Amino acid sequence: MKVLLAKSAGFCFGVKRAVDMAFDTDATKTTYTLGHIIHNEAVINKLHNKGIHSVEELDNIPMDQVIIRAHGVPEDVYKEANDKAIHVVDATCPYVTKIHKLVNRHERDGYKIILIGDAKHPEIIGINGWTKEGCIILKNIDELDLSKLSKEERYFVVSQTTYKKAVVDEIVNTLEQAGYDIKFTNTICSATSERQDEAREIAGQVDAMVVIGSRLSSNTQKLYEICQSICPNTHCIDDASMLEKEWFDGVEEVGVTAGASTPSDVINEVLTKLEQI
Ligand code: SF4
C-alpha cells in the first residue's frame, strides 16, 4: 500500500513556537500553562514531567509565571497577571495577536465588531476580550440576524483563524448585498488554508485517508470533515494505536494528514504502522 503524506501535516508555525516556548521556560519557578498548551496528550505529559501543569484560570493558585498558549486570551488576563505579579510567557500566535490589535483599534475607531467563529472556542473568547462592548459572534449564516444590525453603524468583520472560508464568505457576501457598511479583513491563517487545500487534493487521489489529531482540535475536525466529504473511507485517529487493519482492505493508496497540534513523532509512528499494514 502506497502512503501519501501531506507536506503540511503537523505543527503549524504558531503551535511549534508555543510548544518550544513552553519547553524553554525556566521550570524552577512555579509555572502553569493557561489551558493545555496544545490538544495532545503526549506533549502535555512531557510538560508535566518538566513540572509545568495547566490551570483554567489564574484564580487562587499561587504561581510565579504563566504561559499563554497560541490561542491567546482576553486583555483582562494580562491585567490580572500583572496585579498578581505573575510573569507572563506570551506564546499567543502572532497571527492571533494581530486580530486582538485589529478589533481593539477598530472598536476605538467607532466600528462594531462582527467575529465569525465558535463562541466557545478559546481563540474566540480571547479575541472577544480585546473589545470593550464585546463582539457580535456568528458561528454560521443561520446566526446572522439582520434585524439586529443597523445601517447607521459601521461593522468590522474578522474570523477565527481556523475557520472555513466558505462560511466566512457567505456571511460577508450577505452583509454586503444587504447594503451594510462593512470592512472585512481576512484573518483565516494561511497555514490552515494550505493544510485544508492539500488535504482536499490528496483525499481526491486516494482510496483511504487518515487524519491524525485530537477530536478536541478544531482544525483537525475541519480536516476530517473536508477529507470525509471527498473520500468516505476517512478516519480520524489520535495516534497509531487507533489504526485498524480492516480500513485498508483493498486499498492501494492511503493519504495521511495531521492537525496543527500533532507532533512529528506521532505522525512518524502512524506512517511506520501503515507501512507494516
Ligand atoms: S493555525 Fe495559524 S493562527 Fe493558529 S496557531 Fe497555527 S499559525 Fe497561528
Side-chain angles (χ1 to χ4, degrees):
M1 185 170 69
K2 199 173 153 200
V3 180
L4 198 56
L5 173 67
K7 290 193 200 80
S8 56
F11 283 179
C12 61
F13 148 78
V15 167
K16 181 174 186 316
R17 178 176 170 275
V19 171
D20 288 347
M21 283 173 81
F23 280 102
D24 287 346
T25 299
D26 175 8
T28 57
K29 296 177 179 159
T30 316
T31 307
Y32 287 86
T33 60
L34 206 47
H36 291 317
I37 191 82
I38 56 170
H39 304 292
N40 182 271
E41 284 279 319
V43 172
I44 293 166
N45 288 339
K46 270 192 209 165
L47 271 182
H48 282 189
N49 294 340
K50 188 178 150 76
I52 299 177
H53 300 274
S54 77
V55 281
E56 291 307 315
E57 291 173 0
L58 293 180
D59 272 2
N60 300 330
I61 298 183
M63 66 179 90
D64 298 319
Q65 51 188 0
V66 65
I67 303 170
I68 292 176
R69 59 189 172 178
H71 290 320
V73 291
E75 190 178 14
D76 284 354
V77 174
Y78 293 88
K79 290 186 186 140
E80 192 182 348
N82 190 41
D83 291 347
K84 293 179 171 160
I86 298 169
H87 173 68
V88 172
V89 178
D90 192 356
T92 306
C93 176
Y95 297 142
V96 177
T97 303
K98 187 178 147 198
I99 306 177
H100 294 168
K101 289 183 180 160
L102 279 171
V103 297
N104 192 275
R105 176 160 56 82
H106 280 82
E107 188 184 55
R108 275 190 276 120
D109 289 347
Y111 287 87
K112 299 264 179 216
I113 312 297
I114 296 180
L115 175 56
I116 304 169
D118 177 354
K120 292 191 189 123
H121 192 280
E123 183 187 307
I124 292 293
I125 293 168
I127 296 168
N128 193 40
W130 283 83
T131 60
K132 296 248 172 317
E133 280 188 22
C135 305
I136 301 164
I137 302 174
L138 304 173
K139 191 169 188 177
N140 51 43
I141 192 79
D142 297 338
E143 293 190 356
L144 175 61
D145 183 354
L146 293 178
S147 70
K148 290 195 176 149
L149 305 184
S150 161
K151 297 236 165 119
E152 308 303 313
E153 297 279 3
R154 291 181 301 161
Y155 295 95
F156 179 61
V157 187
V158 285
S159 78
Q160 192 172 330
T161 54
T162 48
Y163 232 53
K164 267 194 201 154
K165 191 173 176 297
V167 175
V168 177
D169 287 348
E170 193 179 15
I171 292 174
V172 171
N173 291 340
T174 304
L175 287 167
E176 275 173 352
Q177 280 161 16
Y180 288 91
D181 183 355
I182 69 158
K183 178 177 173 189
F184 167 59
T185 296
N186 180 4
T187 51
I188 294 180
C189 166
S190 59
T192 302
S193 48
E194 280 161 22
R195 189 190 310 267
Q196 291 180 353
D197 289 347
E198 196 187 10
R200 199 173 282 116
E201 198 184 318
I202 293 177
Q205 296 171 29
V206 295
D207 320 298
M209 193 77 201
V210 174
V211 179
I212 316 166
S214 165
R215 293 209 171 252
L216 297 174
S217 152
S218 150
N219 78 86
T220 299
Q221 276 317 295
K222 297 261 169 7
L223 279 178
Y224 171 72
E225 285 165 21
I226 288 168
C227 294
Q228 219 267 340
S229 69
I230 298 167
C231 174
N233 190 12
T234 294
H235 305 274
C236 186
I237 57 169
D238 288 345
D239 54 42
S241 69
M242 291 173 73
L243 280 174
E244 290 184 26
K245 222 173 159 200
E246 303 76 62
W247 296 342
F248 307 102
D249 287 345
V251 167
E252 288 179 9
E253 197 165 14
V254 56
V256 177
T257 187
S261 48
T262 309
S264 54
D265 50 353
V266 174
I267 298 172
N268 289 336
E269 280 165 23
V270 170
L271 293 177
T272 306
K273 193 154 176 198
L274 281 174
E275 273 153 24
Q276 287 161 0
I277 290 172

